[in-house]
Amino acid sequence: MEIQALLITFREVLEALLIVGIITTYLKRMGQNHFTKYVWLGAGLAVLASVGVAMLFQIVLTGFASMGSEMYLKIGIMLVSAMLLTQMVFWMSKHSRDMKGNMEGKMERFITTGNVVGMVIHSFLVVLREGVETVFFFAAITGGDIGAAMKGWGAITGVIIAAIVSYVFFKGTMKVSLKTFFKVTGIFIILIAAGLLVQAISIMQDLNIIGSVIPHLYDLTWFLPEHPIDYAHYLRDHGTAPILSGDIGIFLKALFGYSSMPSLEEVIAYIGYFVGIYLLTSFKSNGNNESTNKIEQEKELKAQAK
């Protein structure tokens, strides 16, 4: 859980800090430093609002638990989180290159019209979006104990690393482009999303919401049990210990959705998810290349016409 919390918090906080940093840097460059405080005001209000959302979410989760419907809510949260994480990766891949220009364009319009309220609202919504997503993802990876994720070392470390990276980036010593940086971190986010998807399917099968053609497609407990309890049971039943510890298995399960005895449906969903990501990536890449080629052709025609 802590590694997941670290990656998610790092990603979300870094996005928020980069956007706010781009805005404040632009304001300083334009000699409009007096507007900077309004941007940070909006960001601060968004952090407080995110904490409020977390508290409200926890109350809702507790209510579902008291009604005996907690598992159904967890399934829904896991599935929605998997979709949101996937969408987040694609969104950042598309907008990381133009993020700076888009933010500066909006700030220029706010400065021209003297729209201080617009600056506060804009920075508020930018940070609030990241905060709400973080709360939702924490609910998914902890099974509903949002407070535990917020207070754990993973979330705290993620915030610290994100702050350091953004500081170094704006100091001009960061050599890696934003697009490359988000592509690398996006790989880990995609793996977490795939893990949440198959865990949701596993829970649904345990609750008999959906069936299974082959409940256990294979059994790797002898090599890597997914939990220390499975390790102890295997040792008791077979007299020999599995090759790897159950602590490693529980770590991989929490991070990537590992299962030592997955059903056929879990394996199909896991592989199918990555196939779908690959096809979507290829389709968008081809579309972008076609658009780029079309623009280049139009430029050449205009140059020839002149």
Side-chain angles (χ1 to χ4, degrees):
M1 180 196 77
E2 296 297 348
I3 299 296
Q4 286 176 302
L6 188 154
L7 288 170
I8 290 171
T9 308
F10 168 67
R11 179 69 180 244
E12 297 289 344
V13 172
L14 182 62
E15 285 183 31
L17 288 177
L18 285 177
I19 293 173
V20 172
I22 288 170
I23 294 172
T24 55
T25 300
Y26 175 74
L27 290 174
K28 290 178 182 178
R29 195 173 71 236
M30 297 297 292
Q32 303 289 339
N33 288 8
H34 55 286
F35 284 121
T36 302
K37 59 186 177 183
Y38 299 113
V39 175
W40 285 112
L41 173 62
L45 291 173
V47 172
L48 293 176
S50 298
V51 173
V53 170
M55 295 173 64
L56 180 61
F57 214 128
Q58 191 66 68
I59 292 172
V60 172
L61 288 169
T62 303
F64 269 84
S66 64
M67 293 186 295
S69 303
E70 182 181 12
M71 296 305 297
Y72 297 101
L73 181 60
K74 287 181 181 179
I75 292 169
I77 291 174
M78 284 181 174
L79 292 174
V80 174
S81 294
M83 289 188 290
L84 287 176
L85 285 168
T86 306
Q87 183 272 337
M88 179 179 72
V89 171
F90 278 108
W91 187 89
M92 284 308 304
S93 176
K94 180 180 179 181
H95 292 88
S96 58
R97 180 181 297 176
D98 303 323
M99 184 190 297
K100 188 173 185 291
N102 291 337
M103 292 300 107
E104 291 181 351
K106 289 179 180 179
M107 285 302 107
E108 185 177 1
R109 290 193 293 273
F110 290 144
I111 292 172
T112 303
T113 59
N115 189 357
V116 174
V117 175
M119 288 187 185
V120 175
I121 293 176
H122 180 65
S123 57
F124 174 83
L125 292 177
V126 165
V127 177
L128 181 63
R129 183 193 68 190
E130 310 299 342
V132 172
E133 287 181 352
T134 301
V135 170
F136 206 88
F137 299 149
F138 279 1
I141 64 175
T142 62
D145 193 354
I146 300 171
M150 294 177 67
K151 293 182 290 186
W153 64 264
I156 296 172
T157 305
V159 172
I160 294 173
I161 296 175
I164 293 172
V165 170
S166 60
Y167 175 80
V168 173
F169 178 82
F170 285 107
K171 283 298 180 180
T173 57
M174 179 67 74
K175 303 299 182 182
V176 182
S177 68
L178 278 182
K179 190 175 182 65
T180 302
F181 187 80
F182 281 118
K183 184 179 292 185
V184 173
T185 57
I187 293 173
F188 290 98
I189 297 296
I190 287 294
L191 289 170
I192 291 175
L196 288 174
L197 175 62
V198 296
Q199 286 184 65
I201 292 174
S202 177
I203 294 174
M204 286 190 285
Q205 289 179 330
D206 290 340
L207 295 175
N208 292 320
I209 296 175
I210 59 175
S212 176
V213 177
I214 304 177
H216 301 300
L217 186 61
Y218 54 80
D219 186 352
L220 294 178
T221 306
W222 61 272
F223 175 70
L224 176 60
E226 65 184 68
H227 196 280
I229 294 176
D230 297 322
Y231 181 96
H233 288 174
Y234 188 90
L235 178 60
R236 178 197 65 193
D237 297 337
H238 296 82
T240 56
I243 296 175
L244 298 177
S245 169
D247 293 322
I248 299 175
I250 198 171
F251 171 80
L252 293 177
K253 182 177 181 64
L255 189 58
F256 303 129
Y258 169 76
S259 175
S260 59
M261 294 187 293
S263 65
L264 174 64
E265 292 74 20
E266 290 177 72
V267 173
I268 291 175
Y270 199 77
I271 296 174
Y273 176 82
F274 290 112
V275 171
I277 293 295
Y278 174 77
L279 292 176
L280 284 172
T281 303
S282 300
F283 176 77
K284 289 189 176 184
S285 177
N286 292 334
N288 291 336
N289 290 335
E290 290 178 3
S291 299
T292 302
N293 292 335
K294 188 176 181 180
I295 292 173
E296 293 297 328
Q297 290 174 359
E298 291 177 352
K299 287 182 179 179
E300 290 179 4
L301 289 174
K302 287 181 180 179
Q304 292 174 0
K306 291 181 180 181

